[in-house]
Amino acid sequence: MINHKFLPKRIILVRHGESAGNIDGSAYATTPDYKIPLTPDGIQQANLAGKQIRDVVSDSGRVGNWKACFYVSPYERTRSTLREIGRSFPRKRVIGVKEECRIREQDFGNFQITERMKVIKETREKFGRFFYRFPEGESAADVFDRVSSFLESLWRDIDTRLQYDPSDDLNIIIVSHGLASRVFLMKWFKWTVEQFEHLNNLNNCEFRVMQLGDGGEYSLAVHHSDEEMQVWGLSQEMINDQKCRANGALTEKCEWYLDGFFDHLATDSDDGDDGEFEDCSTEKIDS
């Protein structure tokens, strides 16, 4: 990862509150996806999430020098979620808000006919959620590409555009959608497609806290428990990786999931024992 001079203490990913489309799929047949509103329950969820996130970024009120910067998907349900979350944040604590199209919902096509979408989603489950592209829409792989582009812009904002006192704890809060949040984490932590396929979606207004660990790496394990990560679909290997990042042991053990690709190969102790291969190098390269 690039060595930035000042890093946010946390990056928090939030899914929007309950929308009309979450409780009645037929809403998409008459209303464009980006105009689907929150339900009254969704508004309450967002209001509660604001209080919970405020509690996280202030360490339950113990930290006085903290600031927040928000990024939000342009959809009505995410913008409304942000407005409710914002009620818990004094204006002096917010250093910026930016609408960001690249963290919008996966495009499922234009108007969605309920029965047709049911068949299409069943097909997606058979084909694979990451690579399956909706007719006239996107695949999760497409979302991954635009979220990756957003990440590059996010670092530029942190490095050059966000004006804040380095002594403040900066918190980046991204109000988006379930899939966009999952591929954000996939990109960040270099999860494989197979690992992505086992991830569960965030509930409405559920959030994930990526917090700097002792070694200067972001990790889900700083704020979240093993049990939570298991429920989200992280394997034990992925959880161990999060712990490495949290406790500063990244350089010692975290190995980019080598066992998933090289478990069938000989170990170092077997290297060259049978004398089958000659050493053609002129000098030894330290591993």
Side-chain angles (χ1 to χ4, degrees):
M1 182 179 295
I2 298 172
N3 184 22
H4 300 275
K5 187 175 181 181
F6 303 115
L7 290 172
K9 182 174 182 177
R10 302 176 188 86
I11 300 174
I12 302 176
L13 305 172
V14 191
R15 186 188 176 197
H16 60 81
E18 180 188 77
S19 73
N22 292 141
I23 61 174
D24 183 6
S26 66
Y28 297 106
T30 56
T31 306
D33 194 359
Y34 72 93
K35 290 186 176 181
I36 296 287
L38 292 181
T39 65
D41 283 346
I43 292 173
Q44 292 183 5
Q45 289 170 345
N47 194 278
L48 175 60
K51 295 181 175 67
Q52 293 171 333
I53 294 170
R54 162 78 182 267
D55 196 53
V56 170
V57 301
S58 67
D59 287 333
S60 300
R62 292 190 296 271
V63 176
N65 57 333
W66 60 269
K67 293 292 190 295
C69 179
F70 292 88
Y71 291 82
V72 62
S73 158
Y75 281 34
E76 173 60 29
R77 56 188 179 272
T78 43
R79 289 168 57 91
S80 296
T81 298
L82 175 58
R83 282 193 288 270
E84 294 304 315
I85 288 175
R87 297 181 189 278
S88 295
F89 287 76
R91 192 180 185 92
K92 67 179 182 179
R93 297 286 189 178
V94 180
I95 65 170
V97 180
K98 180 182 285 188
E99 183 175 285
E100 175 53 68
C101 285
R102 288 171 293 182
I103 57 173
R104 68 185 185 275
E105 176 65 288
Q106 178 181 12
D107 289 335
F108 298 105
N110 294 315
F111 293 101
Q112 303 167 29
I113 307 303
T114 305
E115 289 305 314
R116 179 170 179 261
M117 288 302 296
K118 179 180 178 181
V119 173
I120 288 173
K121 289 183 177 180
E122 289 173 353
T123 303
R124 177 184 61 173
E125 291 303 310
K126 296 176 182 178
F127 187 89
R129 292 184 295 168
F130 188 75
F131 291 114
Y132 181 82
R133 179 175 286 113
F134 283 85
E136 302 176 349
E138 290 182 304
S139 65
D142 296 323
V143 179
F144 180 95
D145 290 341
R146 55 176 164 83
V147 168
S148 299
S149 172
F150 162 66
L151 261 173
E152 296 175 2
S153 299
L154 177 62
W155 282 126
R156 286 195 295 273
D157 285 350
I158 292 169
D159 279 346
T160 63
R161 296 173 185 150
L162 295 181
Q163 302 298 318
Y164 67 101
D165 187 332
S167 65
D168 290 337
D169 285 344
L170 177 62
N171 300 271
I172 302 292
I173 302 167
I174 301 172
V175 183
S176 183
H177 306 265
L179 181 76
S181 297
R182 280 179 284 151
V183 298
F184 183 103
L185 294 169
M186 178 188 180
K187 168 66 176 177
W188 190 285
F189 294 120
K190 300 179 176 65
W191 292 340
T192 66
V193 171
E194 182 178 1
Q195 289 167 332
F196 170 85
E197 293 286 355
H198 290 92
L199 296 177
N200 296 316
N201 202 10
L202 288 73
N203 294 321
N204 292 120
C205 275
E206 189 176 13
F207 55 90
R208 307 280 189 263
V209 179
M210 299 165 52
Q211 185 164 324
L212 281 176
D214 293 337
E217 288 281 337
Y218 288 97
S219 171
L220 296 168
V222 176
H223 182 80
H224 301 290
S225 68
D226 289 18
E227 291 73 21
E228 285 178 302
M229 291 186 281
Q230 288 172 350
V231 169
W232 302 339
L234 274 69
S235 67
Q236 189 59 52
E237 184 181 26
M238 296 163 75
I239 293 172
N240 291 341
D241 175 68
Q242 293 299 315
K243 289 181 175 180
C244 285
R245 295 172 183 273
N247 63 27
L250 187 65
T251 57
E252 298 177 12
K253 184 59 182 171
C254 301
E255 298 178 333
W256 282 28
Y257 315 115
L258 288 179
D259 290 344
F261 297 93
F262 291 97
D263 59 324
H264 62 294
L265 300 183
T267 62
D268 291 343
S269 61
D270 297 326
D271 189 23
D273 282 355
D274 56 8
E276 181 179 351
F277 299 101
E278 295 183 1
D279 184 3
C280 298
S281 63
T282 57
E283 63 180 20
K284 183 177 180 181
I285 300 176
D286 292 334
S287 60

